[in-house]
Amino acid sequence: DEYILRYPDKYAGRAKTFKETVGGLLDENFHITILSLPVIGIVLFSIVPLVFSILVAFTNYSNGHIPPTQLFTWTGLENFKNIFSPDPNSTFAVLPQALAKTVSWTLIWALVATFSNYILGIIVALMINKDGIKLKGLWRTVFMMTIAVPQFISLLSIGTLLKDNGAIGVWFTETFGQRMGFGTDGSPQGVLIAKIVIIVVNIWVGIPYTILSTTGILLNIPKDLYESSRVD
């Protein structure tokens, strides 16, 4: 009511014209203009690909059915039948086992990667900000380097170090008497080593973000609270 009294020409008891509506997007409805940008981005780059991926699961989309040369058609639940109850004599017989391995590793990765980054990041932040620790700025800088340096460059360097002829690969061979085979050894042991290395590298890349946020929280805690807790 106050806005209408202050700017009576905006509405004047009538519906706004199209020109006035568009002009309002840069005035009283400017918040709609600003918020529409991330909403459009989410729809285009998150929701639409997700819906498209779900719908593709119900088609025969494959290397032999790729538009525009070969169109794909709707097959319904046929793909899911091939996954969960395939013909033992068909090429889909290995799908249930492969799917179980993929899902289990995905769950392990999600849990370990999330909790390790969160918990270890908090522990390292508490250690750095503990009274008596010297060179706090230096330790923070060391961990923040993984954020400052583009991850593509740092991960490319790590990949080079993990090769059999890389520094870490050579050390592993000399220490344990067998090559690491990171990314090339398909044996159960090689796969396990690869998974462990991936988790460790993710921790190295991920904990600086938790350290940064936790440090900001710790630095805003008044010292009076620490002194009161010691007295209590």
Side-chain angles (χ1 to χ4, degrees):
D1 294 338
E2 180 182 354
Y3 183 86
I4 294 174
L5 291 175
R6 186 180 301 175
Y7 305 100
D9 58 326
K10 292 293 183 180
Y11 299 97
R14 60 175 175 80
K16 292 190 292 184
T17 64
F18 177 77
K19 183 178 180 180
E20 291 174 339
T21 302
V22 174
L25 294 176
L26 297 177
D27 191 1
E28 69 272 9
N29 292 325
F30 185 66
H31 61 284
I32 298 177
T33 304
I34 296 299
L35 292 176
S36 64
L37 298 177
V39 170
I40 293 174
I42 292 174
V43 171
L44 291 179
F45 301 108
S46 297
I47 297 179
V48 171
L50 179 61
V51 173
F52 179 77
S53 300
I54 294 174
L55 294 177
V56 165
F58 297 92
T59 68
N60 63 344
Y61 184 90
S62 63
N63 290 332
H65 299 86
I66 299 179
T69 56
Q70 295 287 335
L71 299 180
F72 56 90
T73 59
W74 190 266
T75 59
L77 299 175
E78 189 65 27
N79 293 329
F80 296 93
K81 293 179 181 178
N82 292 332
I83 292 176
F84 296 106
S85 59
D87 185 354
N89 299 322
S90 67
T91 57
F92 304 110
V94 297
L95 282 179
Q97 183 179 3
L99 180 64
K101 290 182 179 180
T102 302
V103 172
S104 61
W105 164 241
T106 300
L107 294 176
I108 293 173
W109 160 259
L111 292 174
V112 174
T114 301
F115 286 102
S116 60
N117 287 342
Y118 184 74
I119 295 174
L120 293 178
I122 293 177
I123 292 175
V124 173
L126 290 172
M127 293 172 61
I128 294 176
N129 291 279
K130 184 177 177 61
D131 292 339
I133 300 297
K134 299 180 180 179
L135 304 175
K136 298 180 185 292
L138 174 62
W139 295 118
R140 293 194 189 102
T141 303
V142 170
F143 285 99
M144 292 304 114
M145 287 300 293
T146 56
I147 299 178
V149 178
Q151 290 189 6
F152 176 78
I153 298 176
S154 58
L155 294 178
L156 189 64
S157 303
I158 288 295
T160 303
L161 293 173
L162 292 172
K163 291 182 178 179
D164 290 337
N165 56 353
I168 298 178
V170 172
W171 169 83
F172 187 89
T173 302
E174 295 178 350
T175 303
F176 298 99
Q178 60 182 7
R179 69 185 187 90
M180 179 182 293
F182 179 74
T184 58
D185 186 2
S187 65
Q189 181 178 353
V191 172
L192 178 61
I193 292 176
K195 291 179 178 179
I196 294 175
V197 170
I198 290 173
I199 291 175
V200 172
V201 172
N202 179 75
I203 291 173
W204 170 67
V205 173
I207 64 171
Y209 294 96
T210 308
I211 294 174
L212 194 62
S213 59
T214 305
T215 299
I217 295 172
L218 293 174
L219 293 179
N220 285 311
I221 297 177
K223 292 187 178 296
D224 297 343
L225 294 179
Y226 291 105
E227 295 175 357
S228 299
S229 64
R230 292 192 187 98
V231 172
D232 291 340

